[in-house]
Amino acid sequence: MPGVEITSGIRRLGPGYVNAYLLVDRDAVTIVDAGAPGYWSSLPSELAALGRSLDDVRAVVLTHAHSDHIGFAERIRRERGVPIRVHTDDVPLTKRPQTPSFHGSVSVAAVLRFGLFGLMHGMLRKPPPILSVGEFADGETLDVPGRPRVIHVPGHSPGSAALHVASQDAIFVGDAFVTLDVFGGGTGPRLSPFNADRALAFASLARLDGIAARLVLPGHGAPWRDGLHDALARVREVSTPS
């Protein structure tokens, strides 16, 4: 299934169940999250839709290192020499991918849809560990295309990070919150049903307060175009810290 152009200079891979993004800055590309392993086969055509190629990819920046976000990361590092960056606290997860605990409701139809997606995109096996990663910390502005600024939002994973790209009026929130509950089927801004520490994930929302970004890009679900302030209000309306 082809990806989707979110806005000029940002393209999403996949249909919205598991998101990876291409961020273009001039003639170079940063990949935000490496999604499902199966996205590798469509990556050249997705880059071509932006007038770019694999030669233009300068970095893969991970919002966190769960298995559904590191899919093709090791392959692009090994085969193309593209550096992978992740928050320091998630480096251990790049070596031993894990799935966090589940807290939520289950829709059989939603689980079946997600299971079929996973089957078709190589997610039934854990992706290989990333053998070499660069680290970043809270508050850094990364020297990669788009120059995202890091906001550490622990809870979903120890090193979960949001990436604020001021030039695009956008923020990549990873799974700090999502707009699709892949197991429950609910849509709209909400906490992920999977979290290492749900209470901490809820508390970490406060670290995003006051950041100006019109376009919110989650790890699962559709983009939210009504601004980060509105998205956070809706997360707090429908989610609980426990």
Side-chain angles (χ1 to χ4, degrees), residues 104-184:
S105 59
V106 172
S107 159
V108 172
V111 170
L112 288 175
R113 286 194 296 269
F114 188 63
L116 179 60
F117 168 86
L119 177 65
M120 295 175 62
H121 293 84
M123 293 180 62
L124 298 191
R125 293 182 180 179
K126 286 186 177 181
I130 307 172
L131 299 184
S132 177
V133 294
E135 302 177 24
F136 57 70
D138 182 44
E140 284 190 45
T141 296
L142 304 183
D143 188 17
V144 301
R147 296 186 58 80
R149 182 172 67 88
V150 175
I151 303 103
H152 186 207
V153 281
H156 180 70
S157 73
S160 283
L163 304 170
H164 182 213
V165 181
S167 62
Q168 289 281 1
D169 199 13
I171 187 165
F172 299 89
V173 295
D175 291 3
F177 62 88
V178 299
T179 60
L180 172 66
D181 178 344
V182 295
F183 270 28

Side-chain angles (χ1 to χ4, degrees), residues 10-240:
I10 300 178
R11 187 171 181 85
R12 187 188 73 203
L13 304 184
Y17 289 113
V18 173
N19 297 335
Y21 297 94
L22 307 177
L23 171 63
V24 178
D25 184 4
R26 299 183 181 88
D27 59 352
V29 178
T30 294
I31 299 177
V32 178
D33 289 329
Y39 287 172
W40 176 256
S41 62
S42 63
L43 188 56
S45 62
E46 295 293 345
L47 287 162
L50 293 166
R52 302 294 182 270
S53 72
L54 282 167
D55 291 337
D56 298 317
V57 178
R58 300 289 181 264
V60 174
V61 179
L62 303 176
T63 61
H64 61 292
H66 286 153
S67 58
D68 57 338
H69 288 253
I70 70 171
F72 60 79
E74 173 58 15
R75 186 165 184 176
I76 199 170
R77 186 203 67 82
R78 184 181 69 247
E79 296 186 11
R80 306 293 304 190
V82 174
I84 314 298
R85 304 283 301 277
V86 69
H87 189 278
T88 299
D89 291 348
D90 263 19
V91 170
L93 291 179
T94 68
K95 313 304 179 187
R96 303 184 71 177
Q98 299 176 9
T99 301
S101 58
F102 175 76
H103 178 281
S105 59
V106 172
S107 159
V108 172
V111 170
L112 288 175
R113 286 194 296 269
F114 188 63
L116 179 60
F117 168 86
L119 177 65
M120 295 175 62
H121 293 84
M123 293 180 62
L124 298 191
R125 293 182 180 179
K126 286 186 177 181
I130 307 172
L131 299 184
S132 177
V133 294
E135 302 177 24
F136 57 70
D138 182 44
E140 284 190 45
T141 296
L142 304 183
D143 188 17
V144 301
R147 296 186 58 80
R149 182 172 67 88
V150 175
I151 303 103
H152 186 207
V153 281
H156 180 70
S157 73
S160 283
L163 304 170
H164 182 213
V165 181
S167 62
Q168 289 281 1
D169 199 13
I171 187 165
F172 299 89
V173 295
D175 291 3
F177 62 88
V178 299
T179 60
L180 172 66
D181 178 344
V182 295
F183 270 28
T187 59
R190 64 196 59 230
L191 283 185
S192 168
F194 295 93
N195 291 289
D197 185 330
R198 185 177 174 89
L200 180 57
F202 190 90
S204 287
L205 296 174
R207 298 181 62 84
L208 300 174
D209 287 333
I211 295 172
R214 178 188 62 83
L215 185 60
V216 180
L217 300 171
H220 304 274
W224 187 259
R225 300 180 184 273
D226 292 334
L228 179 59
H229 177 80
D230 184 71
L232 290 169
R234 290 173 185 257
V235 176
R236 289 168 169 138
E237 284 176 6
V238 303
S239 304
T240 61

